[in-house]
Amino acid sequence: MWAASCLASCCAACACEACRTAVGSIGRRSARIAYCGLFALSLFASWALREVAAPLLQSIPWINHFHKTPDREWFETDAVLRVSLGNFFFFTILAVIMAGIKDQKDPRDKIHHGGWMAKIFCWAVIVFLMFFVPNGVVSFYESISKFGSGLFLLVQVVLLLDFVHGWNENWVAKDEQFWYMALLVVSVVCYIATFSFSGLLFHWFTPSGHDCGLNLFFIVLTLILAFAFAIVALHPKINGSLLPASVIGLYCTYLCYSGLSSEPRDYECNGLHNHSKAVSTGSLTLGLLTTVLSVVYSAVRAGSSATVLTPPDSPRGTDKPLLPFSKADEQEDKKDVPRPVTYSYSFFHLIFSLASMYSAMLLTGWSTSVGESGKLVDVGWPSVWVRIATQWATAGLFIWSLVAPILFPDREF
């Protein structure tokens, strides 16, 4: 027994040391990848607590202080919101601490890149303390999270526009026939995918024998937008390219699908899911994984890329990878020279704060789901309208990005 106890203690100590070393190494080489892992951990914790923590929250007097105990779904939503609130506070505090960092000689640069065991401990403590705050604070956070999520979706749209225009400019700058042909091929493929996908949307979400005028309107409007993008892009005064128009058209079609598939499972016009009431663990896992990838990508791109999202007084982003792959890069980082930081630390953490709000809304169905929808990720009428509004915002911003240089030739866009 004594030998087994010693062996267990040694294994635990080795595991802790290995985790500490691994986390510290990742943090020194690239803080961004470590923050992504921490954020993914917070999403997993939110999902797990949503599934198992309801009975525990029902027994906590300062949470369940109602004369009539709410249903289980209220406590599931409350658990997700409290973890999200802790996540929001953690990244917001870091954003405030990192404000104004210009070069890597700033002492706060070490806080951003190192001290990972301390930061993970602080994150866990903050999340734990959120389960002691009054319900009114959580309710207020729920309300402002809807606006914060909208801002985060806007960030995603701007990032996509920046990526698409950059992609097009990069291939055009090569000024070779091969790359012009590649632009044409990709554009044609995107438009074929858009129209084929739209045909599937008609089949799935406008079943015969039902009045599905709203779904029909969404799908037809999506097709109109796809045509409008091409017309505006090819207008003689715009002299644009089909590539951005085709990619944005395909993305708008995806947003239409995402919105329609988020309709309640018992809605008669949701032909994709109305015959399958049971939801598998695999589908839930896929939904959460998609959320994690979307949120993490947007947060990293927004914090590190040289886009219009970067504040004017902040360091401009570079193409530096998340992890340096050569020892020369690591040795260069060790030079005792006050080099400017490659991205805005404060803005990076601020995007993660907004992403915390967005992920909470997805996991709770925008805090209005009922019945079976409460067990799904991003299902319910609020999710539908958020997706459709995002599509309209994407269309508006894309058209504006094309016509703004013509309307205001003296300004840089």
Side-chain angles (χ1 to χ4, degrees):
M1 180 65 70
W2 179 82
S5 177
C6 288
L7 180 61
S9 299
C10 290
C11 290
C14 291
C16 290
E17 179 64 20
C19 292
R20 186 190 67 80
T21 303
V23 170
S25 176
I26 293 176
R28 284 191 298 271
R29 297 179 66 188
S30 176
R32 286 175 286 182
I33 201 70
Y35 284 115
C36 291
L38 180 59
F39 186 80
L41 175 63
S42 71
L43 291 186
F44 176 78
S46 298
W47 186 28
L49 289 175
R50 189 188 70 166
E51 300 300 319
V52 303
L56 177 62
L57 295 182
Q58 289 176 348
S59 63
I60 299 178
W62 59 85
I63 294 180
N64 185 14
H65 58 75
F66 308 99
H67 295 294
K68 182 181 179 180
T69 300
D71 56 15
R72 178 185 177 90
E73 185 180 283
W74 185 92
F75 293 99
E76 293 172 348
T77 299
D78 189 72
V80 172
L81 290 173
R82 288 177 184 272
V83 174
S84 174
L85 179 59
N87 226 28
F88 172 79
F89 275 132
F90 176 76
F91 284 109
T92 301
I93 291 172
L94 285 177
V96 173
I97 293 175
M98 303 299 165
I101 295 181
K102 301 297 183 181
D103 58 68
Q104 298 179 12
K105 295 296 290 183
D106 192 306
R108 293 173 295 173
D109 182 81
K110 295 182 179 180
I111 299 177
H112 178 73
H113 289 93
W116 280 100
M117 291 301 293
K119 281 189 284 195
I120 292 175
F121 175 77
C122 291
W123 169 80
V125 169
I126 292 175
V127 171
F128 176 74
L129 291 177
M130 292 304 103
F131 287 87
F132 293 90
V133 302
N135 290 339
V137 175
V138 179
S139 179
F140 176 73
Y141 174 72
E142 175 187 351
S143 300
I144 65 173
S145 289
K146 293 179 172 63
F147 297 97
S149 300
L151 290 177
F152 181 77
L153 288 173
L154 184 61
V155 168
Q156 285 188 315
V157 171
V158 175
L159 286 174
L160 176 64
L161 294 175
D162 176 72
F163 169 76
V164 171
H165 286 299
W167 179 10
N168 181 73
E169 292 173 1
N170 184 37
W171 282 12
V172 170
K174 297 180 184 297
D175 196 19
E176 297 178 5
Q177 184 177 2
F178 172 80
W179 294 107
Y180 288 125
M181 289 300 299
L183 283 171
L184 179 61
V185 170
V186 173
S187 301
V188 171
V189 169
C190 286
Y191 269 114
I192 292 175
T194 296
F195 298 137
S196 302
F197 202 3
S198 298
L200 291 176
L201 296 184
F202 279 112
H203 175 69
W204 288 335
F205 301 106
T206 59
S208 58
H210 299 287
D211 183 14
C212 301
L214 183 61
N215 287 1
L216 183 64
F217 168 74
F218 288 152
I219 300 172
V220 171
L221 179 60
T222 300
L223 288 173
I224 293 175
L225 290 174
F227 279 110
F229 296 156
I231 293 173
V232 174
L234 297 179
H235 192 277
K237 290 186 177 180
I238 301 297
N239 194 24
S241 172
L242 270 181
L243 178 63
S246 62
V247 173
I248 296 299
L250 181 59
Y251 179 66
C252 286
T253 306
Y254 163 75
L255 288 175
C256 182
Y257 160 76
S258 180
L260 296 178
S261 64
S262 295
E263 291 175 337
R265 294 300 185 251
D266 56 354
Y267 182 50
E268 60 184 10
C269 293
N270 189 348
L272 190 62
H273 296 290
N274 60 3
H275 296 298
S276 58
K277 296 295 183 182
V279 181
S280 65
T281 302
S283 64
L284 286 174
T285 304
L286 180 61
L288 186 62
L289 180 61
T290 303
T291 300
V292 170
L293 294 177
S294 173
V295 167
V296 167
Y297 173 78
S298 297
V300 171
R301 284 282 298 172
S304 60
S305 63
T307 68
V308 295
L309 293 170
T310 308
D313 58 343
S314 299
R316 303 299 290 176
T318 66
D319 294 329
K320 184 179 179 180
L322 288 178
L323 292 175
F325 294 100
S326 65
K327 292 185 178 180
D329 292 335
E330 295 182 29
Q331 292 174 356
E332 183 180 355
D333 289 339
K334 295 179 181 179
K335 290 181 180 179
D336 191 19
V337 178
R339 296 186 303 142
V341 296
T342 55
Y343 62 98
S344 171
Y345 300 161
S346 181
F347 195 66
F348 174 81
H349 291 297
L350 181 61
I351 294 301
F352 268 114
S353 297
L354 296 177
S356 300
M357 294 181 170
Y358 176 67
S359 61
M361 293 297 99
L362 291 185
L363 288 170
T364 61
W366 296 81
S367 302
T368 59
S369 57
V370 294
E372 185 197 12
S373 296
K375 289 295 182 183
L376 301 176
V377 175
D378 197 19
V379 171
W381 285 111
S383 296
V384 174
W385 284 106
V386 166
R387 289 293 182 272
I388 297 301
T390 303
Q391 182 200 64
W392 295 347
T394 302
L397 287 174
F398 175 66
I399 293 177
W400 172 256
S401 69
L402 295 177
V403 303
I406 306 300
L407 297 176
F408 305 98
D410 296 333
R411 298 184 61 182
E412 181 181 354
F413 292 92

